[in-house]
């Protein structure tokens, strides 16, 4: 517990501004509960329990908690992003008419909290197109978990933000693909979106909802200065955090595995992160591989999928992360706990990975071998 506290204060909190949230607690990230809060204390207790159970079992891979659960509450979206990873699920869900109902989403939240989740992240599609989004946010027990949302930002108006605040939203990441309006709007097929999204971030910050920018990394963006320009945009908007995702060959990029960053390019991303970590006037950076170390800040970072994270699709399928084109089961057919335990024990996820697994070509070979199931559970023995 002492190592956890020191890691939070020295690594995540150190050198950057903190945001005061309800209760007088200090927040440093949208995906981690505020320092010293009841939710953080709950997370620490779960970490200690995991460590004790793993120690007794003689391995560090058996006892796991999905500290972060991402939930696609809808696949409806007004954008047509060139890199959209959810387009196939969007089509299937619309065709089959099998989107989860409100009571199913609520139960999924409750079941996640019972598993130990301390950060529920609502995604889409565009979650603000889900008509009961405010009610769903309010269902997250604030004594057990924070609730954050990813949005394209178009509907972050004063009236919407007031309802999000009243419902208890902890933070919102707004997705920006490029640091300028022209390319961002073109990539999303939505004229005027950049201006609305950046204005929405400002309004959220004024309403004391934690704000962040979500963006994806490509080798071209690293080489041409777009990533540095994005950090300048983030500083200008005074967001708390920038969330970096590696480009992944799923959805509209399915099969384009040449986009995967090489190990050398991934090292450049780490150098980029460290450069801005030393700049006190820039926001923090959280990278997808930092999920694990944010949950367990006294251990090395790595792929969070099925380690400290799971993802629920809008049709009930459960995957290790938002981008993994595989399901280990459906909550309409199996309890979430059973799916989580099977996923964590599978050969695909039994051992930690320093890089995002979907950023490794050899992992895609393994996924291809099992045929990318989308609804039926994957037998552990067959992987």
């Amino acid at each position: 517990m002492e190592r956890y506290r020191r890691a939070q204060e020295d690594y995540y909190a150190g050198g950057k501004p903190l945001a005061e949230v309800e209760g007088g607690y200090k927040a440093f990230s949208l995906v981690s509960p505020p320092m010293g809060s009841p939710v953080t204390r709950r997370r620490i207790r779960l970490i200690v329990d995991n460590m004790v159970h793993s120690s007794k079992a003689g391995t560090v891979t058996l006892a796991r908690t999905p500290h972060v659960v991402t939930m696609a509450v809808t696949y409806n979206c007004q954008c047509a992003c060139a890199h959209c990873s959810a387009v196939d699920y969007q089509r299937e869900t619309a065709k089959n008419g099998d989107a989860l109902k409100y009571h199913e989403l609520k139960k999924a939240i409750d079941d996640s909290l019972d598993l130990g989740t301390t950060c529920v992240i609502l995604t889409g599609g565009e979650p603000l197109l889900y008509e009961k989004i405010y009610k769903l946010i309010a269902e997250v027990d604030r004594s057990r978990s924070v609730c954050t949302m990813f949005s394209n930002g178009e509907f972050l108006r004063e009236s919407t933000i007031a309802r999000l605040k009243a419902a208890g939203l902890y933070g919102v990441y707004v997705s920006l693909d490029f640091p300028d309006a022209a390319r961002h709007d073109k990539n999303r097929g939505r004229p005027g979106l950049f201006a609305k999204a950046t204005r929405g971030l400002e309004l959220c910050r004024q309403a004391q909802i934690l704000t962040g920018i979500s963006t994806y990394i490509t080798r071209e963006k690293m080489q041409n200065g777009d990533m540095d320009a994005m950090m300048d945009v983030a500083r200008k908007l005074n967001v708390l955090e920038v969330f970096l995702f590696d480009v992944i060959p799923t959805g509209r990029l399915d099969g384009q595995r040449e986009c995967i960053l090489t190990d050398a390019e991934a090292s450049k991303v780490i150098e980029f992160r460290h450069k801005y970590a030393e700049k006190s006037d820039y926001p923090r950076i959280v990278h997808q591989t930092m999920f694990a170390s944010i949950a367990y800040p006294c251990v090395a970072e790595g792929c969070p999928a099925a380690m400290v994270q799971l993802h629920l699709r809008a049709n009930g399928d459960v995957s290790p992360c938002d981008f993994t084109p595989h399901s280990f089961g459906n909550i309409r057919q199996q309890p979430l706990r059973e799916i989580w335990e099977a996923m964590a024990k599978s050969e695909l996820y039994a051992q930690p990975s320093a890089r995002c697994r979907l950023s490794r070509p050899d992992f895609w070979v393994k996924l291809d071998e099992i045929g990318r199931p989308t609804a039926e559970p994957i037998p552990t023995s067959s992987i």
Side-chain angles (χ1 to χ4, degrees), residues 16-17 32 60 67 69 91 113 119 141 147 175 177 184 188 194 204 208 222 245 277 297 336 370 376:
K16 301 282 188 178
S32 189
V60 298
H67 293 285
V69 170
R91 292 167 181 161
L113 298 189
C119 181
D141 184 345
C147 182
S175 301
D177 305 331
H184 175 76
R188 299 223 153 206
F194 186 90
C204 284
Q208 296 185 309
M222 288 293 294
F245 292 93
L336 182 62
I370 62 175
E376 297 298 324

Side-chain angles (χ1 to χ4, degrees), residues 39 42 109-110 113 137-146:
V39 182
R42 178 174 185 255
I109 288 176
D110 293 340
L113 298 189
I137 292 169
E139 292 289 357
V140 179
D141 184 345
R142 295 301 175 277
S143 69
R144 304 172 78 192
S145 176
V146 297

Side-chain angles (χ1 to χ4, degrees), residues 170-183:
Y170 182 63
V172 58
Y173 289 106
V174 169
S175 301
L176 296 180
D177 305 331
F178 292 94
D180 58 278
R183 288 187 295 165

